[in-house]
Amino acid sequence: MSRINRQIILIEGPIGAGKTSLALRLAEDLEAKGLEARAFLEFDPDHPIRTEQVDLLSGREPEPRAYGLEPWARLAAQCVVNRGIVLLDATLIQNTLLPAFAAGVPEEQILHLATTRLAALAKAKPMVLYLHVDDMADHLERLHRSSTPSWSAGNLAWIDATAWAQARGQRGMPALIGFHEAWQIWVETWLSQLGDTSLVLRARSEETTSLSQLVLNHAAKPS
């Protein structure tokens, strides 16, 4: 049996970067090594961490009391007891921190959201993986061309309604590109301060096998 020193791996990155595919591949590779693993995708009904963003996107009635630290701490405690490895798709950065950035929340408050949630997971030695996109404009334009018109329209309507875009007088695809470029810079600056708790890899959705191995090698380092 291979040793993995992280019991919670948070898989993050821009929309369409390959987070879900990588989460599923990691779960398969961990199980192939004889380890118990579960990938929770962002819309899974039994997801252990409920976020307001996913509730809004799925049409679920918001429940502010469910968005605190307790579910994060409970998940960490369960991981320690069960000794399994949990893979969380888009839970921390995309569905907890990004909405705050889009709403114009001050940076210190976003940092507080990030640090308190990682602290709540501390017993399970969490690791944050971020899939970096080199050319955000090309990535987003290709994503929109390959998506349904209704999804594309909804994504552009979302950015138009954000405080971030409105404060800059931007709309549509230019706003979406500018937002995700600025957000990626913010995220990677924060992750650079976390040491081995974080890992940034170039997004390569067609190469989940090699990406998975890089993640597992990092997760095997002493924490």
Side-chain angles (χ1 to χ4, degrees):
M1 180 182 296
S2 301
R3 179 171 180 80
I4 298 294
N5 291 310
R6 306 284 180 173
Q7 287 186 272
I8 295 177
I9 301 176
L10 301 113
I11 302 167
E12 302 284 350
I15 52 175
K19 299 182 294 295
T20 298
S21 297
L22 182 56
L24 294 171
R25 182 54 191 256
L26 279 166
E28 292 177 3
D29 289 349
L30 286 164
E31 289 172 351
K33 294 176 181 293
L35 299 167
E36 182 179 345
R38 167 70 193 273
F40 286 99
L41 308 185
E42 58 183 325
F43 293 105
D44 281 352
D46 61 342
H47 198 294
I49 306 294
R50 187 173 170 182
T51 66
E52 183 177 11
Q53 179 74 354
V54 169
D55 279 353
L56 291 171
L57 291 172
S58 60
R60 189 177 182 182
E61 187 70 24
E63 181 52 65
R65 290 179 298 178
Y67 308 141
L69 294 175
E70 197 276 334
W72 301 77
R74 182 171 61 244
L75 175 61
Q78 290 171 347
C79 287
V80 170
V81 171
N82 298 334
R83 300 185 180 277
I85 298 169
V86 168
L87 307 156
L88 298 177
D89 170 30
T91 305
L92 176 61
I93 292 176
Q94 180 162 318
N95 286 318
T96 300
L97 306 184
L98 181 150
F101 187 79
V105 171
E107 181 177 5
E108 60 270 20
Q109 293 183 30
I110 301 174
L111 284 171
H112 179 74
L113 281 172
T115 56
T116 54
R117 277 144 186 80
L118 276 186
L121 296 177
K123 289 182 179 180
K125 301 177 181 178
M127 168 184 153
V128 184
L129 164 69
Y130 184 79
L131 296 174
H132 169 91
V133 168
D134 285 332
D135 187 335
M136 193 66 72
D138 178 68
H139 172 75
L140 292 173
E141 287 166 354
R142 285 190 293 107
L143 177 64
H144 274 250
R145 286 196 300 270
S146 65
S147 299
T148 64
S150 61
W151 182 90
S152 180
N155 192 229
L156 294 177
W158 170 80
I159 192 63
D160 288 350
T162 63
W164 189 94
Q166 292 175 3
R168 291 160 178 78
Q170 298 180 8
R171 293 179 57 83
M173 186 59 73
L176 189 69
I177 293 168
F179 172 81
H180 281 287
E181 288 176 340
W183 178 234
Q184 181 164 263
I185 290 170
W186 190 97
V187 167
E188 293 184 359
T189 299
W190 170 58
L191 293 177
S192 70
Q193 303 167 19
L194 300 183
D196 283 344
T197 299
S198 72
L199 175 65
V200 177
L201 297 174
R202 181 173 288 106
R204 303 191 301 274
S205 59
E206 73 284 359
E207 299 179 23
T208 55
T209 300
S210 58
L211 285 174
S212 176
Q213 191 56 56
L214 289 171
V215 175
L216 295 180
N217 290 345
H218 192 86
K221 292 181 179 180
S223 53

